[in-house]
């Protein structure tokens, strides 16, 4: 085999801080060797942002590096420990069962980022699993995370997708793959739970100190840094979940082990986007009771944050009652903070620069009308943003009973008459808040099916390209912005990466 890196060169200047934490935080683990790695997609702009030396990588090098076959100099691969509540039930040990942290780099903005290989083989945390990932879920994570980034939502990123040449078994034989993803960190609510569940207060404190230093350094000076950390995560998650609701994103498996303390969206398993607006929408086949339904996401985030708060109690104040009191006070701010982020974002979607008392109700009235009329969430808002474009399509036509739209629309028009912005400026601002294209479920499935059954990656590349510019009108690719076919209503997603 040719060397993956040019003679004497390194791909990155790794600086691995998590591996310097106490031994019980992680297990050292080399990725499994795979037989025939091939790059499907390499995210060059992201690689540059991370300061990777792309020119050092030889022709065959990227496949070797991002499949885990070749360890670049400075990498110190580990699997991290965490626990988590899955659908409300606590498991004291989960951990990286199919993801291996290659190492950390400092990006062009001075931010420390993890480079992690998901699907890189078994670790000490794999339990019964094979540590591998199938091609479909890898492409799905790539598309979804990059789409979310382009939509302006805080998220882990995809650096590379590599097919491995191995077969993985998920009820059937499937091609294997690895996704190299980039994270602000891999610290989850469940990481805190891992130590708290063992009564390891030192472990919680060490993790909290590390989290503060890495994500919220200003809090080191706070009167009570652990309480301040809780407040910071509450704030970050309130903003994140509001963002999800504004673009119609359903995470699908908001277990505490799938919620970061950095505020990035993580773990794209059964996630999907709304078509017709309905807060009860659930796509995941394993979410039988709708725990993670679209409209439940704020209350689930709140519940998860309460689990985080519990882990910090012993660190916040030696007096338990006092600690509970202070943590509760911070936690209770979540609904208000969420509402504030949500309303601010919805105002943007409706082109409102000023704030008026009735705006919240105005938003709700539109959503109610959309729900009653099975109107497409993305398209209604997009069409409201295109009122001054020659190619505009009518939002009204998306409602089964257009009269219910008319009533709302009249009220909105009156509200707009009290706005300072002129129509053209408003419409253009609205188009920056209301995407024309999202990763529609059927488009994603189409791209995955072509790759899996025919080895045809063209639809994947085409869709990825479109999703990189979600707010642009792309007339040549109008089909990506269309209303989905009827079959959509029975759409189901599955977990197993
Ligand atoms: P998830 O529900 O995808 O967030 O994963 C929950 C837990 O299951 C995590 O600890 C994963 O590492 C683990 N896991 C999921 N799939 C596999 C697999 N194929 N092999 C080993 N562990 C896995
Ligand atoms: Mg997970």
């Amino acid at each position: 085999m040719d060397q993956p890196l040019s003679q004497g060169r390194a791909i990155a200047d790794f600086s691995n801080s998590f591996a310097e934490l106490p031994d019980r935080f992680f297990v050292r683990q080399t990725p499994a060797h795979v037989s025939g790695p091939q790059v499907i997609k390499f995210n060059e702009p992201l690689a540059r942002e991370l300061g990777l030396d792309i020119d050092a990588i030889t022709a065959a090098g990227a496949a070797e590096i991002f499949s885990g076959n070749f360890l670049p100099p400075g990498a110190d691969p580990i699997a991290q420990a965490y626990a988590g509540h899955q659908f409300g039930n606590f498991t004291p040990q989960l951990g990286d069962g199919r993801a291996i942290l290659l190492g950390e780099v400092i990006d062009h903005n001075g931010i420390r980022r993890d480079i992690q290989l998901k699907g890189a083989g078994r670790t000490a945390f794999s339990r019964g699993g094979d540590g591998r990932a199938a091609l479909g879920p890898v492409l799905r994570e790539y598309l979804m995370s990059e789409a979310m980034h382009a939509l302006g939502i805080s998220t882990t990123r995809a650096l590379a997708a590599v097919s491995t040449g191995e077969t993985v078994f998920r009820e059937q034989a499937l091609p294997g793959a690895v996704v190299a993803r980039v994270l602000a960190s891999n610290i989850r609510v469940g990481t805190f739970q891992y130590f708290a569940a063992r009564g390891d207060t030192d472990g919680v404190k060490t993790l909290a100190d590390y989290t503060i230093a890495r994500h919220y350094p200003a809090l080191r000076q706070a009167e009570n840094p652990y309480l301040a950390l809780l407040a910071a995560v509450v704030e970050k998650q309130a903003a994140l979940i509001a963002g999800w609701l504004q673009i119609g994103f359903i995470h699908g498996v908001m277990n505490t082990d799938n919620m970061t303390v950095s505020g990035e969206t993580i773990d794209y398993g059964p996630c999907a986007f709304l078509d017709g607006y309905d807060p009860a929408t659930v796509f995941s086949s394993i979410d039988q009771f709708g725990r993670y339904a679209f409209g439940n996401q704020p209350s689930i985030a709140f519940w998860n944050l309460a689990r985080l708060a519990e882990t910090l109690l012993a660190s916040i104040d030696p007096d338990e009652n006092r600690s509970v009191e202070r943590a509760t006070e911070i936690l209770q701010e979540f609904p208000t903070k969420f509402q504030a982020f949500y309303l601010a974002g919805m105002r943007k979607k409706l082109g409102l620069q000023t704030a008026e008392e009735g705006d919240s109700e105005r938003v709700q009235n539109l959503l109610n009308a959309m729900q009653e009329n099975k109107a497409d969430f993305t398209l209604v808002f997009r069409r409201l943003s295109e009122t001054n474009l020659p190619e505009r399509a009518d939002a009204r036509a998306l409602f089964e009973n257009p009269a219910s739209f008319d009533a709302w629309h009249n009220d909105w028009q009156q509200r707009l008459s009290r706005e300072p912005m002129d129509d053209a400026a408003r419409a253009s601002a609205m188009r920056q808040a209301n995407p024309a294209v999202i990763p529609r479920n059927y488009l994603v499935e189409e791209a995955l099916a072509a790759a899996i059954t025919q080895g045809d990656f063209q639809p994947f590349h085409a869709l990825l390209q479109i999703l990189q510019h979600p707010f642009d009108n792309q007339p040549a690719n109008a089909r990506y912005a269309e209303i989905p076919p009827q079959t959509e209503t029975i759409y189901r997603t599955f977990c197993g990466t």
Side-chain angles (χ1 to χ4, degrees):
M1 185 192 74
D2 295 338
Q3 275 304 310
L5 291 171
S6 311
Q7 201 62 38
R9 286 175 72 172
I11 179 177
D13 187 5
F14 285 107
S15 114
N16 303 319
S17 62
F18 203 94
E20 286 162 22
L21 290 174
D23 286 348
R24 63 190 189 283
F25 279 63
F26 60 88
V27 178
R28 288 213 151 70
Q29 178 66 56
T30 308
H33 194 273
V34 297
S35 54
Q38 279 188 324
V39 173
I40 299 162
K41 177 74 188 169
F42 178 59
N43 190 341
E44 211 176 297
L46 179 59
R48 293 195 190 283
E49 186 183 313
L50 295 175
L52 302 189
D53 184 0
I54 299 171
D55 304 331
I57 306 174
T58 61
E64 295 294 323
I65 293 165
F66 296 113
S67 65
N69 270 0
F70 174 83
L71 277 186
D76 188 2
I78 60 171
Q80 296 180 20
Y82 54 82
H85 274 94
Q86 300 175 300
F87 291 91
N89 303 310
F90 187 64
T91 301
Q93 182 170 311
L94 293 166
D96 292 330
R98 57 171 161 184
I100 295 173
L101 172 63
L102 202 55
E104 301 157 22
V105 296
I106 309 295
D107 73 11
H108 275 172
N109 300 312
I111 310 279
R112 181 178 294 276
R113 317 265 294 264
D114 283 2
I115 302 178
Q116 193 191 53
L117 305 181
K118 188 169 171 183
R122 286 181 55 80
T123 76
F125 304 108
S126 296
R127 297 171 292 157
D130 60 2
R132 307 280 190 173
L135 177 61
V138 161
L139 297 182
R140 199 179 159 75
E141 168 142 359
Y142 201 116
L143 285 171
M144 286 292 183
S145 61
E146 289 304 296
M148 290 284 272
H149 173 70
L151 287 162
I153 307 289
S154 178
T155 174
T156 64
R157 302 286 308 276
L159 176 62
V162 180
S163 58
T164 57
E166 308 278 328
T167 300
V168 300
F169 297 92
R170 301 278 181 271
E171 287 169 0
Q172 53 179 318
L174 294 167
V178 170
V179 57
R181 67 177 178 182
V182 175
L183 311 83
S185 83
N186 190 39
I187 305 169
R188 301 138 188 262
V189 169
T191 317
F192 282 84
Q193 289 181 295
Y194 179 85
F195 298 103
R198 285 161 179 73
D200 181 357
T201 307
D202 280 349
V204 172
K205 279 193 173 152
T206 303
L207 180 65
D209 291 340
Y210 178 86
T211 304
I212 290 170
R214 181 157 175 179
H215 296 300
Y216 307 103
L219 304 186
R220 274 182 294 209
Q221 270 73 51
E223 176 257 326
N224 186 325
Y226 303 124
L227 196 64
L229 171 61
L230 177 63
V233 180
V234 163
E235 174 100 13
K236 275 273 166 38
Q237 286 294 334
L240 180 67
I241 309 298
W244 289 1
L245 262 58
Q246 277 145 18
I247 53 157
F249 178 75
I250 309 173
H251 183 282
V253 59
M254 283 178 74
N255 296 332
T256 56
D257 53 302
N258 290 335
M259 185 187 256
T260 61
V261 295
S262 68
E264 282 186 347
T265 310
I266 195 170
D267 280 2
Y268 292 86
C271 65
F273 278 74
L274 277 183
D275 294 312
Y277 178 77
D278 182 352
T281 306
V282 173
F283 290 115
S284 169
S285 58
I286 58 166
D287 192 0
Q288 289 172 17
F289 302 105
R291 180 182 170 91
Y292 301 138
F294 178 76
N296 275 3
Q297 296 183 115
S299 43
I300 289 293
F302 191 28
W303 191 89
N304 289 350
L305 289 164
R307 305 290 79 75
L308 176 64
E310 284 164 3
T311 71
L312 292 169
L313 287 179
S315 312
I316 289 173
D317 198 299
D319 174 348
E320 200 187 321
N321 289 336
R322 177 88 189 110
S323 191
V324 169
E325 200 180 297
R326 296 195 76 182
T328 305
E329 197 183 311
I330 296 294
L331 203 54
Q332 297 295 359
E333 291 173 6
F334 178 81
T336 318
K337 283 188 189 291
F338 165 77
Q339 199 49 44
F341 282 118
Y342 181 70
L343 187 54
M346 294 312 278
R347 280 202 176 100
K348 271 201 185 131
K349 284 177 82 73
L350 290 178
L352 304 177
Q353 248 189 344
T354 64
E356 275 189 18
E357 189 72 5
D359 288 344
S360 185
E361 204 188 335
R362 196 163 276 119
V363 168
Q364 197 51 52
N365 288 344
L366 174 60
L367 294 177
N368 291 346
M370 286 166 65
Q371 186 179 353
E372 278 158 30
N373 289 276
K374 302 182 177 62
D376 186 89
F377 179 79
T378 303
L379 285 185
V380 167
F381 283 103
R382 183 65 184 187
R383 289 186 184 181
L384 290 175
S385 326
E386 293 182 340
T387 42
N388 69 332
L389 293 187
E391 71 268 29
R392 78 169 185 271
D394 196 357
R396 187 176 191 268
L398 296 166
F399 289 72
E400 279 177 359
N401 171 15
S404 62
F405 172 76
D406 293 340
W408 178 85
H409 192 257
N410 284 340
D411 169 66
W412 182 51
Q413 290 301 310
Q414 282 176 25
R415 172 69 180 84
L416 292 183
S417 68
R418 301 189 292 277
E419 279 287 306
M421 235 191 302
D422 69 58
D423 287 356
R426 171 167 47 248
S428 125
M430 282 177 70
R431 285 197 293 281
Q432 295 309 306
N434 295 307
V437 286
I438 51 161
R440 295 265 183 200
N441 306 323
Y442 79 103
L443 294 172
V444 173
E445 291 306 322
E446 218 175 74
L448 269 47
I452 297 163
T453 59
Q454 290 144 47
D456 175 9
F457 290 93
Q458 198 280 328
F460 164 80
H461 291 298
L463 181 56
L464 183 61
Q465 177 61 32
I466 294 289
L467 292 171
Q468 250 131 48
H469 307 281
F471 300 106
D472 296 354
N473 278 342
Q474 305 177 64
N477 298 302
R479 96 176 182 95
Y480 291 97
E482 276 167 13
I483 218 161
Q486 277 300 316
T487 49
E488 267 298 82
T489 47
I490 53 161
Y491 187 65
R492 279 279 162 273
T493 58
F494 300 90
C495 237
T497 312

